[in-house]
Amino acid sequence: MLPTWRLQDRTNKMKMAAAYCPIENTDWVVILIATGEADLTKRLPTSSRDEIGDVVNGFNSFSEKLQTIIGDVKHSKEDLVVAVNEITGNIESLERMIVSQGKIVTEASSAVNMSMDKMSGSFETLRANSQDGFSKQQSVNDKVKEIETQSQMLQEANASLHKYSLKPLIRLRIQKL
């Protein structure tokens, strides 16, 4: 049989070991958290209602809060990935629209250039035709003046002829009567 003091010493050691066991567990979990290997869904068991129990309960509260924060960060990351994918899709859609608009502008520019070339050719033809028309009009005007002049001369000649040729005829008629 053990002496009383030894029995008491052994009982105290067991009580101390039982009391310090949650602290050792807490120490181990802190090391796991630091290395990124901890399971934050697990909590340390505690049965004591002393300072050590308070430390373990505080650590359990800390673990729960850390689990919530990490869950929020994961959720935020997922939301961010969704947002980034949506933005990327929008950018790609805008890029396709810009390329499409660029093609349309290029085609429209080409059509405008062709129309301008046709209009330039039409204006050149119109200028040449108007110059030709102006020359012909000038020629016609010159001919009309020439005809007017000749007509005036013929009228004067006719009047002269009429004046001189009718008088003898009239006299002749009068004499015959």
Side-chain angles (χ1 to χ4, degrees):
M1 174 145 235
L2 289 172
T4 314
W5 68 271
R6 276 209 171 242
L7 188 59
Q8 208 172 26
D9 188 40
R10 191 172 180 177
T11 305
N12 285 341
K13 283 183 180 178
M14 285 175 65
K15 283 182 182 177
M16 286 180 71
Y20 285 105
C21 186
I23 290 181
E24 287 178 12
N25 287 342
T26 305
D27 181 42
W28 179 246
V29 172
V30 168
I31 290 170
L32 288 175
I33 289 173
T35 62
E37 299 294 323
D39 181 1
L40 295 177
T41 62
K42 304 280 188 209
R43 303 291 178 257
L44 295 174
T46 182
S47 59
S48 64
R49 298 184 183 270
D50 57 4
E51 294 86 13
I52 293 174
D54 290 343
V55 169
V56 171
N57 287 334
F59 182 78
N60 284 341
S61 295
F62 167 75
S63 293
E64 186 177 336
K65 187 66 135 179
L66 189 58
Q67 179 184 2
T68 303
I69 290 170
I70 290 174
D72 290 347
V73 168
K74 283 182 180 179
H75 184 68
S76 295
K77 177 187 170 191
E78 291 167 1
D79 289 348
L80 183 61
V81 167
V82 168
V84 166
N85 288 340
E86 190 174 314
I87 289 170
T88 300
N90 289 341
I91 289 171
E92 289 169 353
S93 175
L94 283 173
E95 182 179 3
R96 286 189 300 273
M97 287 172 55
I98 289 170
V99 168
S100 174
Q101 290 296 324
K103 287 179 182 177
I104 290 170
V105 167
T106 301
E107 289 171 3
S109 176
S110 177
V112 166
N113 285 340
M114 287 174 48
S115 294
M116 291 299 288
D117 290 344
K118 284 181 182 179
M119 285 175 56
S120 176
S122 295
F123 284 132
E124 185 61 33
T125 302
L126 180 63
R127 186 189 61 76
N129 288 344
S130 66
Q131 284 180 344
D132 186 43
F134 181 74
S135 299
K136 288 180 180 178
Q137 181 67 40
Q138 191 66 34
S139 176
V140 166
N141 288 344
D142 291 344
K143 292 285 182 193
V144 166
K145 283 183 185 177
E146 185 180 320
I147 290 171
E148 283 177 350
T149 304
Q150 288 175 358
S151 177
Q152 185 69 31
M153 287 172 41
L154 282 174
Q155 283 178 352
E156 288 174 6
N158 193 19
S160 291
L161 282 174
H162 186 14
K163 179 177 170 183
Y164 295 112
S165 66
L166 284 178
K167 283 187 180 183
L169 284 173
I170 294 175
R171 280 185 210 151
L172 233 160
R173 278 207 179 254
I174 294 178
Q175 288 173 359
K176 286 183 180 183
L177 287 171

